[in-house]
Each structure stands twice: as structure tokens, then as C-alpha cells.
Amino acid sequence: MTERLGGFIVHINGWPGTGKLTIARILARKLSARLLDNHTLMNPAEALFSRRDPLYASLRSEIRRSAFEHIARAAAGERFVFTDALADDDRDRATFSSYRDLAVARGARLIAVVIDCDPEENLKRLVAAGRAEARKLTDPNVLKDLRARHRLLRGEADHLIEFDVTVLSPEAAAAEILKTIGI
């Protein structure tokens, strides 16, 4: 596949604890890409406000908007990898549209990657060491509720890749993404 002038954007979507950030780090390194995980965008707001406070959502939105405005002006050919946990609902579809808009603004190819794993394996990964310190979700009941009530978003993109990472190592998952997009 030929790369557009604006490079490409890889968006990795999956439930909390599926290994998005670990895979994204490997992928970003292999692609010489910039990585912006969802917690980079969330944690400043979370450090200052509870999620129930309207200022939390407002600050989080402003951080995303500002980051995307700057990324839109980054050098041509620059590559970006993002992580997120988006459900197939109106709010999260609107969030994903900001990635499509960013790709269009950059003249970049948007690659949507949706990863999932067995629910029991997901619960084991959710409570892994280091997640709480990184302000990541660690409550199994919240994850169970998310999985029961929602479906992962499969956003409209130039290329959609879906796979199960239950038995894949992060390195194998990154290699699968690279192979699928032809890099």
C-alpha cells in the first residue's frame, strides 16, 4: 500500500486491559511513529477533577482538541499511533470522527485496529501490576458492565483490522498489524 503525503494514523481500540498500550508502544517503535495513548489525554483532567465534575469532561475535551490541532500541523509524512477504548455509541462515534477529521486534515491514511480478548483473560490483565499507578481502570465490575452493555466501535477508516489477542503476544499482535497494513 502506498503511503499518502500525510503519513498515516493507526487507531487501536479495545477494552481496558486488552494490551492496547503495550502493542502501541511496539508498533510506534517499529514505525518510527509518535504515540498518544488515551491516558495521556485523560490523566491531566483526572488529576484535577473527579469524572463526575463537568470540568473533567471540559478539560479532557480541550486537551484532545489542542493536541489534534497541533498534530494536524505536524510535518508531512509523520506517523501517529493512538489508543482508545471506544464503544459503538453516539458519543464515542463522535470521538472517533475526530480521528477521521485529523487524517483528512493531514492527508493521512487512517487505520482502525480493534483488538479484543477472552473476557476471563481480560479480567486477569485488568488487574496487572502498574495499571492503578497509571490511572488505568482496574475495577473488574466496571469492565464486566462495559463488556455486557457495549460493543467495541469499529470506526469508519481507510483500513479496518480486527483480531483477538487472547493468545497473541504484544510483539505478535504488532507484527500482525504491520503485515496487514503492508509495512
Side-chain angles (χ1 to χ4, degrees), residues 33 45 163:
F163 58 98

Side-chain angles (χ1 to χ4, degrees), residues 19-170:
K20 298 179 300 288
L21 182 54
T22 304
I23 295 167
R25 285 180 176 142
I26 295 165
L27 197 59
R29 186 176 63 249
K30 290 184 180 284
L31 293 171
S32 299
R34 305 285 182 183
L35 170 61
L36 186 62
D37 78 291
N38 54 323
H39 285 278
T40 302
L41 297 173
M42 291 169 49
N43 287 353
E46 199 158 286
L48 298 170
F49 306 104
S50 81
R51 287 189 179 205
R52 293 178 304 282
D53 190 321
L55 292 172
Y56 169 85
S58 173
L59 179 56
R60 186 172 165 191
S61 177
E62 281 298 309
I63 292 168
R64 179 183 295 276
R65 184 195 55 74
S66 182
F68 279 35
E69 282 179 6
H70 284 75
I71 293 167
R73 299 190 313 255
E78 191 79 41
R79 298 167 172 181
F80 296 91
V81 176
F82 295 89
T83 68
D84 231 324
L86 300 178
D88 194 0
D89 61 27
D90 290 341
R91 186 192 63 168
D92 286 355
R93 279 190 294 276
T95 297
F96 187 80
S97 73
S98 66
Y99 293 99
R100 274 197 317 270
D101 294 346
L102 179 60
V104 168
R106 292 192 48 72
R109 187 163 48 121
L110 177 59
I111 299 143
V113 178
V114 179
I115 64 170
D116 201 355
C117 68
D118 174 78
E120 290 305 313
E121 178 63 21
N122 196 177
L123 288 169
K124 289 179 195 172
R125 294 178 185 184
L126 188 75
V127 296
R131 285 187 56 85
E133 293 80 17
R135 292 194 168 104
K136 293 182 170 206
L137 178 68
T138 58
D139 185 336
N141 292 322
V142 172
L143 177 63
K144 287 176 185 177
D145 182 59
L146 286 171
R147 291 185 69 106
R149 293 186 315 117
H150 299 283
R151 179 178 180 267
L152 286 170
L153 177 67
R154 280 127 180 99
E156 184 182 321
D158 296 307
H159 199 92
L160 174 63
I161 303 166
E162 296 183 67
F163 58 98
D164 187 306
V165 296
T166 302
V167 297
L168 280 181
S169 70

